[in-house]
Amino acid sequence: MTKPKSMDDIIALLKRRGFIYQGSEIYGGAAGLYDFGPYGVELLNNLKQNWWKANVQARPDYVGLDSAMFKNPKVWKASGHVDGFADPLVECKNCNTRLRVDKELEKLGIFADEKMSEEEIKKLWDENKDKVKCPGCKKPEWSEPKKFNLLVKSNLGDFTEKNEEPVYLPGEACQGIYLNFKNVVDTCRVKIPFGIAQIGKAFRNEISPRNFLFRCREFEQADTQYFVKPHDNVENYQRIKQEQWGWLLSLGLKEENLKWHQHENLVFYAKDAWDIEYNYPSYGFDELMGIHDRSDYDLSQHMKFSGTDLNYFDQTANEKYIPWILETSMGLGRLFLAVISDAYNVETLNNGSERTVLKLNPELAPVKYAVFPLLKNKPELVEKAKEVFNKLSQKYVCEFDDNGNIGKRYRRQDEIGTPKCIVIDFDTLEDGTVAVRDRDTTEQIRVKIEEL
Ligand code: ATP
């Protein structure tokens, strides 16, 4: 028997077991910022490695990149973020709660277009604000909606002194890819169609960071940008959509928890935009990954603002053009939350006791093997267990645990998703075999140490 999943229980587990901590917790915490603990960073790194393998190393037509986070301030002007990367905000004058107008209207089935002016948004808001509940108080008194830019300002040496624009932290990771398109074409043997992939941090002054890792102010994005000949977008777009869906399934996510959502209001440069949504416990379906057909907008803008020719010379077709771009962009924190939520189970065992278990894909599990001596006070068992640990830890992330009874040690490993627990007992000393216990079935088999 399994219990329905609740996000509060999952968050409590992630804290209790050292996956995720609130940012700056000893100072009272910082909204929208989280730190990955010892098990969290292992899982996060496994997700990144898996993504990198599938999207870069296993593909002849993709290459990787890691660009600097700080960029010339003109980049964010060219990208449209300085003028257009803004969410409409209202504040309750009674309790100071801030809400995103577009998200509140969406809950009422009304879709505010990103291109709408403050005036148009105000009209929509005024018509509907009486239906919006304030999470902070019973009698909200709303301010006028105002557009609030999400870019996070910083300062950096020369830029701060010489430029009129402030220096920004990246609002999205993908700009580094557009900036290096020409470098990659000039220095690597790539030919259109090809893709550039990057994992990078993004920072957004989110009005109301909420839902744990789902909406943070600092997060990491895994992006691919696929460059195609103009009008060569439709088939490639379909292929990319299918591949990303297939990759999410290959991680072990259940298909019934994934859903496609097509954007109704397209930004002016986009030809098509789809999200893959995940069914987060307690929150419901919401965006995990965006897949966007962006036309030649990005490279044209950077060509205009930088004055550098970003045309591509296609030798096969003997023509010059600005390539069109097909983008995939996924928040790794949202993926982390989806993978944990999918794997999380509270089961009642045959003996009536309850266990919490993360049935993670073994490739993603933070710890692959836990090694236990049956008894802590028998030096020969402890010594043998250390020998097994030393052997396995050369190749895999392992954990040694001699604390508490075996049942408790199994429970601890179940909660962090360790696929196999290895017990060194008195039979080991006799015949060189160990008990290997499976996380999902809880069954045990005996295996010779050399065969581990
Ligand atoms: P939303 O509509 O939820 O604000 P978005 O459409 O602005 O998201 P994009 O700009 O397309 O998101 O970013 C690409 C991906 O980055 C998203 O699919 C999501 O996984 C992730 N992402 C975006 N904003 C955040 C955030 N504040 N916290 C965590 N991840 C985020």
Side-chain angles (χ1 to χ4, degrees), residues 306-317:
S306 68
T308 306
D309 185 3
L310 297 179
N311 273 292
Y312 172 85
F313 180 67
D314 187 329
Q315 285 174 337
T316 324

Side-chain angles (χ1 to χ4, degrees), residues 103 204 206 214-216 219 221 287-288 329 331 334:
K103 294 285 172 195
R204 295 183 186 178
E206 292 282 357
F214 185 83
R215 190 168 302 287
C216 306
F219 54 99
Q221 292 178 315
E287 178 173 343
L288 166 63
S329 181
R334 290 193 190 180

Side-chain angles (χ1 to χ4, degrees), residues 71-82:
K71 295 173 173 69
N72 187 307
K74 285 186 201 139
V75 169
W76 302 105
K77 193 86 188 140
S79 68
H81 284 76
V82 171

